Amino acid sequence: MNILDCIVLALSILAVFAVGVLSGRRSRASASEGEFLMANKSLNKLQAGFSTAATDFGGSGMVGAIGYCYVVGMSGIWWNLTAAPAFLIVGFLFAKAFNRMDSATLPDYLGKRYSPAVKLLASVMHICSNVALLSSQFTIACAVLYTITGFSMTFCLIICLLLVICLTSGGLRSVVNTDAVLFVIIVVSLVVAVPIVLHAGGGLESIAARLPDGFLRVTELGFWTPFSWFLLCFIGYSTNQNYVQRMAAAETEDTARFGAIFSGCFYLIISVILGIIGVSAAVLMPGIEDSNAVFPELLLRFFPHGLIGLGVAGVFAATISTATSILHATTTLIVNDIWVPLRREKAVGVVRVSRAMVWVVALLSIGISMVSQNIINVIYISGLFYGACVFVPMVFGMKRSFANANGALASMLAALAVSLAWEYLPRFRPAVLEALPSNVVGILIGAIVLTAVSKLGASGSPRKTNHTQIEE
């Protein structure tokens, strides 16, 4: 990077920082729990759409997906493409229901629908999952900074840590508004990248002619792998606080639905763009062992100065937007679902504790990022750990009155045990079912257990709550 690249990168970061600080003033001035955690349910369509898309499209969606397409070919686009139908389905099935939900978090809703034990288990599982996800974003951001600038990893970690904490400390409104700016940076950087790599490779036809047989086919991964990714996305968007919070905080039900549908349409386009960049890189730079280094190397070798800075800003935008969203969501879970119910006095305000938790969670995630390796695997397992276990109680709680607390608790524990065993102990899989992904098996077992235990009347009739108010 030369001085021009540094200026472009610095201006991008300063723009994001300025928006974050200005947006956070409202939260700091009011010191309101509703403003800090939920932006007082006032997100408009632009905020909901841009923020939801930027929240999900993190470092794995950009750097990880380009590297994956570099290794397996165009079929690697399924890592992002499966998000499109998942978002669209969630938008039509659940977005309005989440907006009507009288809870700040999904575990909080589950606690009202079932029992405090269900709420606590769901919250703890979600927090663990989010900490793992946040660590993957720090890993990508630091890897890119280290590759491009040569700064020490410690220095890169400090930069990422301080920026994410600063933007998150302003509350949800600050996170959402900076997401909008970061989304624009992401889109511009990737749109600019396509003509650069195609020109460097002599055009699309020249690149295609130099690729191995089948490298441009999208069927190389078969059926079950893309399906498991779709299911991972669908479950995640239906249960993860990062997305539920945006739908719940939207100013209207239609706005909540728009945010999910906009994100699905975004993924239809961006997945193809990333695939083109990845397979082009396979021709331009064969032999790179670390797939996470593909895009940074592409920037250094083929981008003109100035645009290198824009490319780095795009990677930073992707990782930071997701990191701030995950960090704020995790803070909300800790404070709203664990700290508030346990506190004996109200001398310490929720906003003050929330800002303290921002530091705690960020530092813990930084520690994990120092030892994490396979980004996609981290994301898949973290989704398996929480989403596959909570999805069934969430759907049954909204749609089926017979589901009760014991059934929900048993379902979550059974889904967790079976899905993890299916993933890590393949020798115990029945031969006829061994092709089934872990999250599919976990959901099926969870549904069976919840139905059986609830029907047996283990805890009597279901809790009388307002859950029927959020049915479609």
Side-chain angles (χ1 to χ4, degrees):
M1 289 179 65
N2 67 5
I3 185 64
L4 181 59
D5 298 314
C6 293
I7 291 174
V8 172
L9 178 59
L11 289 176
S12 302
I13 294 176
L14 285 174
V16 173
F17 182 78
V19 170
V21 171
L22 292 174
S23 301
R25 285 183 176 179
R26 185 167 176 176
S27 172
R28 292 183 176 90
S30 66
S32 162
E33 176 182 348
E35 171 64 28
F36 187 89
L37 299 181
M38 297 293 289
N40 285 332
K41 288 185 70 70
S42 62
L43 303 187
N44 58 38
K45 287 187 176 181
L46 180 66
Q47 292 171 316
F50 280 22
S51 179
T52 303
T55 292
D56 189 56
F57 188 71
S60 67
M62 187 175 184
V63 176
I66 290 174
Y68 194 58
C69 289
Y70 175 90
V71 173
V72 304
M74 204 65 178
S75 58
I77 68 172
W78 288 109
W79 177 244
N80 281 306
L81 190 58
T82 51
F87 262 126
L88 294 175
I89 295 172
V90 168
F92 285 108
L93 288 184
F94 299 125
K96 289 186 176 182
F98 286 141
N99 187 253
R100 291 197 294 267
M101 186 172 64
D102 186 25
S103 300
T105 70
L106 183 60
D108 188 34
Y109 163 74
L110 294 175
K112 294 176 181 178
R113 172 62 177 85
Y114 294 114
S115 70
V118 172
K119 172 182 176 178
L120 181 60
L121 178 60
S123 296
V124 171
M125 292 170 65
H126 200 350
I127 291 165
C128 293
S129 172
N130 270 9
V131 169
L133 287 173
L134 183 57
S135 71
S136 70
Q137 301 306 315
F138 282 128
T139 298
I140 295 170
C142 294
V144 172
L145 260 188
Y146 173 77
T147 302
I148 300 294
T149 65
F151 296 151
S152 70
M153 285 298 290
T154 300
F155 181 72
C156 295
L157 283 171
I158 292 173
I159 293 176
C160 296
L161 178 69
L162 294 179
L163 182 60
V164 169
I165 288 177
C166 178
L167 297 178
T168 308
S169 296
L172 182 60
R173 192 179 304 277
S174 174
V175 171
V176 166
N177 288 341
T178 54
D179 277 351
V181 179
L182 292 165
F183 178 78
V184 174
I185 296 173
I186 292 168
V187 172
V188 171
S189 65
L190 289 175
V191 169
V192 168
V194 172
I196 292 176
V197 297
L198 291 180
H199 175 74
L204 186 58
E205 290 185 4
S206 175
I207 290 172
R210 295 151 62 186
L211 289 169
D213 290 340
F215 214 69
L216 289 179
R217 288 200 292 263
V218 297
T219 57
E220 295 299 297
L221 296 179
F223 171 78
W224 285 114
T225 295
F227 180 75
S228 69
W229 289 345
F230 157 74
L231 199 58
L232 173 70
C233 292
F234 178 56
I235 294 170
Y237 305 153
S238 304
T239 60
N240 198 297
Q241 179 67 13
N242 312 345
Y243 315 106
V244 173
Q245 190 166 17
R246 276 147 185 75
M247 290 181 272
E251 58 185 357
T252 66
E253 295 173 12
D254 288 337
T255 299
R257 175 169 287 180
F258 174 84
I261 294 174
F262 175 88
S263 300
C265 295
F266 164 74
Y267 268 110
L268 287 173
I269 300 171
I270 210 69
S271 58
V272 177
I273 291 176
L274 294 168
I276 293 172
I277 296 173
V279 298
S280 299
V283 170
L284 296 171
M285 307 180 304
I288 295 180
E289 295 182 1
D290 182 5
S291 61
N292 294 326
V294 170
F295 191 58
E297 287 291 338
L298 201 64
L299 291 175
L300 289 176
R301 298 189 193 184
F302 298 101
F303 279 49
H305 287 295
L307 293 183
I308 293 177
L310 179 62
V312 176
V315 177
F316 238 70
T319 54
I320 297 303
S321 63
T322 301
T324 55
S325 298
I326 294 174
L327 182 55
H328 186 273
T330 309
T331 299
T332 303
L333 289 163
I334 294 173
V335 174
N336 185 81
D337 297 350
I338 297 178
W339 182 77
V340 169
L342 292 178
R343 64 178 178 171
R344 295 182 177 179
E345 56 183 35
K346 299 185 178 181
V348 181
V350 168
V351 176
R352 186 182 302 177
V353 174
S354 299
R355 293 197 175 110
M357 285 299 104
V358 166
W359 280 91
V360 173
V361 174
L363 290 171
L364 178 59
S365 299
I366 281 285
I368 295 175
S369 73
M370 294 179 177
V371 297
S372 61
Q373 297 293 328
N374 190 319
I375 295 170
I376 288 180
N377 188 58
V378 168
I379 293 172
Y380 182 83
I381 296 303
S382 63
L384 189 68
F385 187 74
Y386 166 72
C389 302
V390 174
F391 180 74
V392 170
M394 184 270 292
V395 174
F396 276 59
M398 290 181 176
K399 306 297 184 181
R400 295 290 181 267
S401 61
F402 73 81
N404 60 34
N406 281 359
L409 196 61
S411 170
M412 292 168 63
L413 294 173
L416 175 64
V418 172
S419 57
L420 290 179
W422 198 269
E423 182 72 22
Y424 290 108
L425 301 172
R427 64 181 180 274
F428 293 111
R429 301 176 190 169
V432 70
L433 299 175
E434 63 180 357
L436 288 178
S438 305
N439 50 13
V440 174
V441 176
I443 289 174
L444 291 175
I445 293 298
I448 293 171
V449 170
L450 188 145
T451 301
V453 174
S454 296
K455 288 291 187 181
L456 289 173
S459 65
S461 59
R463 290 163 59 91
K464 301 295 184 181
T465 70
N466 63 349
H467 70 274
T468 55
Q469 296 177 9
I470 65 172
E471 291 184 13
E472 290 286 353

PDB file of all heavy atoms in Angstrom, residues 7 24 55 96 136 152 266 280 316-317 332 422 424-425 455:
ATOM      1  N   ILE A   7      -4.726   6.770   2.319  1.00  0.00           N
ATOM      2  CA  ILE A   7      -5.693   7.870   2.414  1.00  0.00           C
ATOM      3  C   ILE A   7      -7.112   7.362   2.175  1.00  0.00           C
ATOM      4  O   ILE A   7      -8.046   7.711   2.905  1.00  0.00           O
ATOM      5  CB  ILE A   7      -5.336   8.985   1.405  1.00  0.00           C
ATOM      6  CG1 ILE A   7      -4.044   9.690   1.834  1.00  0.00           C
ATOM      7  CG2 ILE A   7      -6.480   9.985   1.284  1.00  0.00           C
ATOM      8  CD1 ILE A   7      -3.536  10.695   0.829  1.00  0.00           C
ATOM      9  N   GLY A  24     -24.526   7.693  17.854  1.00  0.00           N
ATOM     10  CA  GLY A  24     -24.502   7.263  19.243  1.00  0.00           C
ATOM     11  C   GLY A  24     -24.837   8.346  20.232  1.00  0.00           C
ATOM     12  O   GLY A  24     -25.085   8.062  21.405  1.00  0.00           O
ATOM     13  N   THR A  55     -25.029  -6.892   8.014  1.00  0.00           N
ATOM     14  CA  THR A  55     -24.834  -7.734   9.195  1.00  0.00           C
ATOM     15  C   THR A  55     -24.458  -9.152   8.804  1.00  0.00           C
ATOM     16  O   THR A  55     -23.547  -9.764   9.376  1.00  0.00           O
ATOM     17  CB  THR A  55     -26.119  -7.755  10.047  1.00  0.00           C
ATOM     18  OG1 THR A  55     -26.325  -6.462  10.604  1.00  0.00           O
ATOM     19  CG2 THR A  55     -26.009  -8.765  11.171  1.00  0.00           C
ATOM     20  N   LYS A  96     -42.872 -10.318  10.122  1.00  0.00           N
ATOM     21  CA  LYS A  96     -43.944  -9.564  10.785  1.00  0.00           C
ATOM     22  C   LYS A  96     -44.182 -10.082  12.201  1.00  0.00           C
ATOM     23  O   LYS A  96     -44.480  -9.304  13.113  1.00  0.00           O
ATOM     24  CB  LYS A  96     -45.220  -9.640   9.954  1.00  0.00           C
ATOM     25  CG  LYS A  96     -45.151  -8.833   8.657  1.00  0.00           C
ATOM     26  CD  LYS A  96     -46.496  -8.811   7.943  1.00  0.00           C
ATOM     27  CE  LYS A  96     -46.440  -7.923   6.709  1.00  0.00           C
ATOM     28  NZ  LYS A  96     -47.748  -7.846   6.013  1.00  0.00           N
ATOM     29  N   SER A 136     -14.383 -15.135  14.409  1.00  0.00           N
ATOM     30  CA  SER A 136     -14.060 -15.350  12.995  1.00  0.00           C
ATOM     31  C   SER A 136     -13.954 -14.028  12.251  1.00  0.00           C
ATOM     32  O   SER A 136     -13.135 -13.880  11.340  1.00  0.00           O
ATOM     33  CB  SER A 136     -15.114 -16.253  12.342  1.00  0.00           C
ATOM     34  OG  SER A 136     -16.354 -15.588  12.206  1.00  0.00           O
ATOM     35  N   SER A 152       2.098  -5.882  12.653  1.00  0.00           N
ATOM     36  CA  SER A 152       2.052  -7.078  13.493  1.00  0.00           C
ATOM     37  C   SER A 152       0.604  -7.464  13.765  1.00  0.00           C
ATOM     38  O   SER A 152      -0.295  -6.614  13.761  1.00  0.00           O
ATOM     39  CB  SER A 152       2.775  -6.821  14.820  1.00  0.00           C
ATOM     40  OG  SER A 152       2.037  -5.913  15.622  1.00  0.00           O
ATOM     41  N   PHE A 266     -30.126  -9.032  -2.478  1.00  0.00           N
ATOM     42  CA  PHE A 266     -28.705  -8.673  -2.501  1.00  0.00           C
ATOM     43  C   PHE A 266     -27.837  -9.904  -2.706  1.00  0.00           C
ATOM     44  O   PHE A 266     -26.888  -9.893  -3.500  1.00  0.00           O
ATOM     45  CB  PHE A 266     -28.351  -7.974  -1.182  1.00  0.00           C
ATOM     46  CG  PHE A 266     -26.876  -7.895  -0.897  1.00  0.00           C
ATOM     47  CD1 PHE A 266     -26.065  -7.008  -1.579  1.00  0.00           C
ATOM     48  CD2 PHE A 266     -26.298  -8.721   0.067  1.00  0.00           C
ATOM     49  CE1 PHE A 266     -24.698  -6.926  -1.309  1.00  0.00           C
ATOM     50  CE2 PHE A 266     -24.941  -8.659   0.338  1.00  0.00           C
ATOM     51  CZ  PHE A 266     -24.143  -7.755  -0.353  1.00  0.00           C
ATOM     52  N   SER A 280     -11.520 -16.406 -11.180  1.00  0.00           N
ATOM     53  CA  SER A 280     -10.511 -15.619 -11.890  1.00  0.00           C
ATOM     54  C   SER A 280      -9.184 -15.655 -11.151  1.00  0.00           C
ATOM     55  O   SER A 280      -8.114 -15.765 -11.756  1.00  0.00           O
ATOM     56  CB  SER A 280     -10.988 -14.174 -12.058  1.00  0.00           C
ATOM     57  OG  SER A 280     -12.178 -14.106 -12.812  1.00  0.00           O
ATOM     58  N   PHE A 316     -12.697  -4.626   5.254  1.00  0.00           N
ATOM     59  CA  PHE A 316     -12.903  -4.083   6.593  1.00  0.00           C
ATOM     60  C   PHE A 316     -14.376  -3.822   6.850  1.00  0.00           C
ATOM     61  O   PHE A 316     -14.898  -4.115   7.935  1.00  0.00           O
ATOM     62  CB  PHE A 316     -12.099  -2.788   6.750  1.00  0.00           C
ATOM     63  CG  PHE A 316     -11.123  -2.843   7.869  1.00  0.00           C
ATOM     64  CD1 PHE A 316      -9.999  -3.644   7.769  1.00  0.00           C
ATOM     65  CD2 PHE A 316     -11.314  -2.111   9.025  1.00  0.00           C
ATOM     66  CE1 PHE A 316      -9.090  -3.717   8.812  1.00  0.00           C
ATOM     67  CE2 PHE A 316     -10.403  -2.180  10.070  1.00  0.00           C
ATOM     68  CZ  PHE A 316      -9.292  -2.979   9.957  1.00  0.00           C
ATOM     69  N   ALA A 317     -15.054  -3.261   5.842  1.00  0.00           N
ATOM     70  CA  ALA A 317     -16.476  -2.961   5.996  1.00  0.00           C
ATOM     71  C   ALA A 317     -17.270  -4.235   6.236  1.00  0.00           C
ATOM     72  O   ALA A 317     -18.169  -4.274   7.091  1.00  0.00           O
ATOM     73  CB  ALA A 317     -16.991  -2.242   4.744  1.00  0.00           C
ATOM     74  N   THR A 332     -26.836  -7.538  24.169  1.00  0.00           N
ATOM     75  CA  THR A 332     -28.269  -7.515  24.462  1.00  0.00           C
ATOM     76  C   THR A 332     -28.708  -8.797  25.153  1.00  0.00           C
ATOM     77  O   THR A 332     -29.484  -8.778  26.119  1.00  0.00           O
ATOM     78  CB  THR A 332     -29.074  -7.316  23.166  1.00  0.00           C
ATOM     79  OG1 THR A 332     -28.657  -6.107  22.519  1.00  0.00           O
ATOM     80  CG2 THR A 332     -30.570  -7.239  23.466  1.00  0.00           C
ATOM     81  N   TRP A 422     -23.565 -36.384  15.561  1.00  0.00           N
ATOM     82  CA  TRP A 422     -23.645 -36.695  14.123  1.00  0.00           C
ATOM     83  C   TRP A 422     -22.488 -36.046  13.365  1.00  0.00           C
ATOM     84  O   TRP A 422     -21.950 -36.611  12.424  1.00  0.00           O
ATOM     85  CB  TRP A 422     -24.975 -36.191  13.577  1.00  0.00           C
ATOM     86  CG  TRP A 422     -25.370 -36.794  12.254  1.00  0.00           C
ATOM     87  CD1 TRP A 422     -25.081 -36.319  11.011  1.00  0.00           C
ATOM     88  CD2 TRP A 422     -26.153 -37.979  12.051  1.00  0.00           C
ATOM     89  NE1 TRP A 422     -25.622 -37.116  10.051  1.00  0.00           N
ATOM     90  CE2 TRP A 422     -26.291 -38.154  10.663  1.00  0.00           C
ATOM     91  CE3 TRP A 422     -26.746 -38.899  12.903  1.00  0.00           C
ATOM     92  CZ2 TRP A 422     -26.994 -39.208  10.097  1.00  0.00           C
ATOM     93  CZ3 TRP A 422     -27.438 -39.945  12.355  1.00  0.00           C
ATOM     94  CH2 TRP A 422     -27.560 -40.107  10.974  1.00  0.00           C
ATOM     95  N   TYR A 424     -19.426 -35.085  14.721  1.00  0.00           N
ATOM     96  CA  TYR A 424     -18.079 -35.451  15.162  1.00  0.00           C
ATOM     97  C   TYR A 424     -17.861 -36.949  15.363  1.00  0.00           C
ATOM     98  O   TYR A 424     -16.719 -37.384  15.538  1.00  0.00           O
ATOM     99  CB  TYR A 424     -17.752 -34.723  16.472  1.00  0.00           C
ATOM    100  CG  TYR A 424     -17.558 -33.243  16.284  1.00  0.00           C
ATOM    101  CD1 TYR A 424     -18.505 -32.330  16.736  1.00  0.00           C
ATOM    102  CD2 TYR A 424     -16.436 -32.760  15.622  1.00  0.00           C
ATOM    103  CE1 TYR A 424     -18.336 -30.975  16.543  1.00  0.00           C
ATOM    104  CE2 TYR A 424     -16.257 -31.399  15.432  1.00  0.00           C
ATOM    105  CZ  TYR A 424     -17.205 -30.510  15.894  1.00  0.00           C
ATOM    106  OH  TYR A 424     -17.045 -29.167  15.697  1.00  0.00           O
ATOM    107  N   LEU A 425     -18.930 -37.737  15.356  1.00  0.00           N
ATOM    108  CA  LEU A 425     -18.803 -39.191  15.531  1.00  0.00           C
ATOM    109  C   LEU A 425     -19.471 -39.902  14.354  1.00  0.00           C
ATOM    110  O   LEU A 425     -20.483 -40.601  14.511  1.00  0.00           O
ATOM    111  CB  LEU A 425     -19.440 -39.630  16.854  1.00  0.00           C
ATOM    112  CG  LEU A 425     -18.864 -38.988  18.124  1.00  0.00           C
ATOM    113  CD1 LEU A 425     -19.707 -39.358  19.334  1.00  0.00           C
ATOM    114  CD2 LEU A 425     -17.402 -39.403  18.316  1.00  0.00           C
ATOM    115  N   LYS A 455     -46.849 -34.003  24.112  1.00  0.00           N
ATOM    116  CA  LYS A 455     -48.090 -34.769  24.002  1.00  0.00           C
ATOM    117  C   LYS A 455     -48.308 -35.663  25.213  1.00  0.00           C
ATOM    118  O   LYS A 455     -49.444 -35.952  25.605  1.00  0.00           O
ATOM    119  CB  LYS A 455     -48.057 -35.622  22.736  1.00  0.00           C
ATOM    120  CG  LYS A 455     -48.203 -34.843  21.436  1.00  0.00           C
ATOM    121  CD  LYS A 455     -49.601 -34.257  21.273  1.00  0.00           C
ATOM    122  CE  LYS A 455     -49.797 -33.638  19.911  1.00  0.00           C
ATOM    123  NZ  LYS A 455     -51.145 -33.051  19.732  1.00  0.00           N
TER     124      LYS A 455
END
